[in-house]
Amino acid sequence: MKKYDCAFLKENLYSGVLCDVLDGMGYRNQSIGQRLMPLNDDTVIFGPAFTSIATVVYSMPEHPLTAQCKVVDQLGEGEIYVLVTRGQYNCAVFGELFATAVKQRKGAGVLLDGYVRDLKAIKEMDFPLFYAGRDPRTSKGRAEINECQIPVILDGVTIRPGDLIFGDIDGVVIIPKEIADEVFEQALATIKKEDQVREGLINGDSLEKVYGEIGTI
C-alpha cells in the first residue's frame, strides 16, 4: 500500500465495497465468515497482517506463555495481529494484558480466530478486536503460540504477512498486498458513484434508472 493514507482509508472505506471490487477483479473468496464478531458495532480494523498460529496442547509446557510473549513482541506499528487456532477452541488465547501489549506497540488491532477473556477491561479500552467467542480459562497447558509471519488459512481465506485486513460491522475482508492500491482506487471511485445513485434516488429517480445510468448499487 503506497498511495493512500491509512487513516483516510479506515474512515472512508467499508467491507461491502471492498468485497464488490475484489469480486470484479476475480477475487471472490476474500471475506471471513460472520462467526468472528467485532468488539463493538463501531469497531473497525485496518492494516497489514502480522500472522500467527495457536496450536492446541494437552500438557503444561516448561515455560507457558513465553513463546506467545515473544510473538506479540514482534508486532510492528500499524499491523493487525492475526491469530489462527489449529485445533479446537479450548481456552482464551487473548486477554487484557496482551491487548495492552498490542496497544503499546501501536498495533492497529487484532483478528482472533479463538476465544478471549477480560472482555470488561478490553471493552473499557475500546480495543480494536474481532474474535470468535469468550472463555475464562487460561491458555496455559491448553494452547501454545509459537509460529508467526507465515501464511495462514482462516475460513478458507489465505492470509499472508503484509496482506491488508479491513474489518467492520459487516465482516472482515482480506486484500492481497500486491493488488491493494488498485483495490482502494476502485473502491473510492465506486463510493463516489454510490453517492450519485443516492442523490438520484433522493431526487425521485427510479432505482432501475439510476442503476442503468451509473452502474453501481
Side-chain angles (χ1 to χ4, degrees):
M1 185 176 61
K2 300 176 181 178
K3 296 171 59 176
Y4 299 105
D5 176 74
C6 285
F8 173 81
L9 292 175
K10 183 177 179 180
E11 182 177 351
N12 287 277
L13 296 179
Y14 61 94
S15 59
V17 74
L18 291 169
C19 279
D20 289 351
V21 169
L22 286 162
D23 276 354
M25 296 174 66
Y27 294 80
R28 298 182 59 83
N29 185 38
Q30 297 301 124
S31 176
I32 303 301
Q34 292 301 306
R35 62 185 183 80
L36 298 189
M37 66 196 84
L39 183 67
N40 299 302
D41 285 352
D42 59 354
T43 297
V44 178
I45 58 172
F46 176 61
F50 178 98
T51 61
S52 63
I53 294 177
T55 302
V56 171
V57 296
Y58 300 96
S59 61
M60 187 69 68
E62 184 177 358
H63 302 290
L65 299 184
T66 299
Q68 181 175 356
C69 292
K70 290 180 178 179
V71 167
V72 173
D73 282 342
Q74 297 177 56
L75 184 71
E77 181 176 348
E79 291 183 323
I80 302 290
Y81 176 53
V82 179
L83 178 62
V84 173
T85 296
R86 183 161 49 198
Q88 64 192 31
Y89 298 154
N90 65 350
C91 61
V93 288
F94 194 79
E96 180 260 333
L97 294 180
F98 279 102
T100 300
V102 170
K103 186 175 181 180
Q104 290 304 113
R105 297 194 62 79
K106 298 182 179 180
V110 172
L111 179 62
L112 187 71
D113 172 35
Y115 291 159
V116 66
R117 70 180 188 178
D118 308 326
L119 270 171
K120 182 176 184 292
I122 291 173
K123 283 179 177 289
E124 289 173 353
M125 294 168 63
D126 194 25
F127 188 81
L129 169 70
F130 278 71
Y131 65 110
R134 62 195 72 186
D135 194 316
R137 294 175 295 176
T138 179
S139 61
K140 291 180 180 179
R142 296 186 177 96
E144 279 288 294
I145 301 168
N146 52 22
E147 296 180 80
C148 65
Q149 290 298 69
I150 58 174
V152 296
I153 298 176
L154 179 53
D155 283 358
V157 183
T158 298
I159 308 174
R160 301 164 301 167
D163 283 346
L164 279 298
I165 295 174
F166 188 98
D168 62 17
I169 190 172
D170 290 327
V172 180
V173 184
I174 310 303
I175 305 152
K177 53 190 172 183
E178 64 271 13
I179 62 168
D181 283 344
E182 184 178 357
V183 170
F184 298 143
E185 183 174 350
Q186 289 193 33
L188 292 171
T190 299
I191 289 172
K192 288 183 179 180
K193 290 182 179 180
E194 290 178 339
D195 291 339
Q196 294 175 328
V197 170
R198 187 179 303 105
E199 183 178 356
L201 293 172
I202 291 172
N203 289 334
D205 291 336
S206 70
L207 187 58
E208 182 180 5
K209 179 178 184 295
V210 291
Y211 177 58
E213 291 177 352
I214 299 173
T216 294
I217 196 171

